[in-house]
Amino acid sequence: MEKMSPTQNDNTGAETERTILRYIPESIDYLHSVTKFSREELKTLYRNFKNECPNGMVNEETLKNIYGQFFPDGDSDAYAHLVFKSFDRGNSGVVNFERFAIGLSRLLRGTLKDRLRWTFELYDAKGLGYITKDDVATIVRSVYKLLGSCAQPQLNDDDVTEHVDRVFDKLDLNRVGKVEFDDFYEVCTKDESVVLSMSVFDHAM
């Protein structure tokens, strides 16, 4: 199997020391079997990942910097934090290439249910298995901060609160103040406007 390995060590031994600190991902064959990316796509993705994360791991600060480059007119910290948490479910503080590639595959190449599951987990940052109105508000506000002056239309706090109330009212079928994935999935598959109003798929990655 072809291995996506770091640079080989040199005669000085310096590279050997650096290699110990690097995470070496699984083979392309393995990643091809667990994602919906082609081998060539995985090679390109890995090269880009290594450019940003030479040690083979991404932390939250690096992700914030990456988002900041794509959204220079906004504040990317809050949204990048939530995206990072969706990848780092084990709260290890870092995400390796496998987890990154698998998560990205679910979002970009997965079924609608895969994508909605990813979105639900993004909202459920605490990993409780359900989302509340506060969770929805956190995401919506972070998206508007991310877009900054590019957000259309520009909303004030009252507008955001009204938007969140409207979305959560549709999601909370049982009127209990929390929404589990089955209800979330049911509503989103029946009412596309709910997904669009969440503004997640267009900005997640």
Side-chain angles (χ1 to χ4, degrees), residues 75-92:
D75 181 351
S76 62
D77 284 6
Y79 192 76
H81 168 73
L82 294 168
V83 171
F84 185 82
K85 291 290 290 183
S86 74
F87 282 98
D88 183 27
R89 279 314 198 188
N91 295 315
S92 65

Side-chain angles (χ1 to χ4, degrees), residues 50-160:
K50 285 283 287 182
N51 285 339
E52 296 292 341
C53 315
N55 68 347
M57 309 280 274
V58 61
N59 59 28
E60 185 173 329
E61 197 60 35
T62 301
L63 193 63
K64 287 178 179 178
N65 292 336
I66 293 171
Y67 269 94
Q69 293 172 28
F70 283 101
F71 299 94
D73 296 324
D75 181 351
S76 62
D77 284 6
Y79 192 76
H81 168 73
L82 294 168
V83 171
F84 185 82
K85 291 290 290 183
S86 74
F87 282 98
D88 183 27
R89 279 314 198 188
N91 295 315
S92 65
V94 291
V95 174
N96 62 35
F97 182 68
E98 282 91 344
R99 275 188 284 169
F100 179 76
I102 291 169
L104 198 60
S105 175
R106 285 174 63 198
L107 180 62
L108 300 181
R109 301 287 172 82
T111 63
L112 177 60
K113 191 168 188 176
D114 289 334
R115 298 174 72 200
L116 288 175
R117 172 66 76 179
W118 189 93
T119 303
F120 182 84
E121 291 175 357
L122 182 69
Y123 278 71
D124 181 22
K126 302 181 187 71
L128 299 175
Y130 61 83
I131 59 176
T132 64
K133 186 183 290 187
D134 285 344
D135 295 326
V136 175
T138 297
I139 287 286
V140 171
R141 287 193 171 92
S142 70
V143 169
Y144 277 104
K145 286 182 180 179
L146 176 74
L147 296 177
S149 60
C150 296
Q152 295 296 332
Q154 291 287 311
L155 301 182
N156 58 37
D157 285 343
D158 289 339
D159 294 328
V160 171

Side-chain angles (χ1 to χ4, degrees), residues 161-202:
T161 299
E162 181 182 341
H163 178 87
V164 170
D165 287 344
R166 187 168 61 252
V167 170
F168 195 78
D169 186 60
K170 289 185 177 183
L171 292 173
D172 189 13
L173 297 176
N174 299 317
R175 300 294 181 261
V176 293
K178 62 182 182 180
V179 178
E180 296 182 353
F181 177 72
D182 288 345
D183 288 339
F184 180 83
Y185 178 72
E186 179 181 346
V187 172
C188 291
T189 52
K190 290 180 178 178
D191 189 345
E192 187 177 282
S193 68
V194 175
V195 180
L196 295 175
S197 69
M198 290 178 180
S199 303
V200 172
F201 287 158
D202 290 340

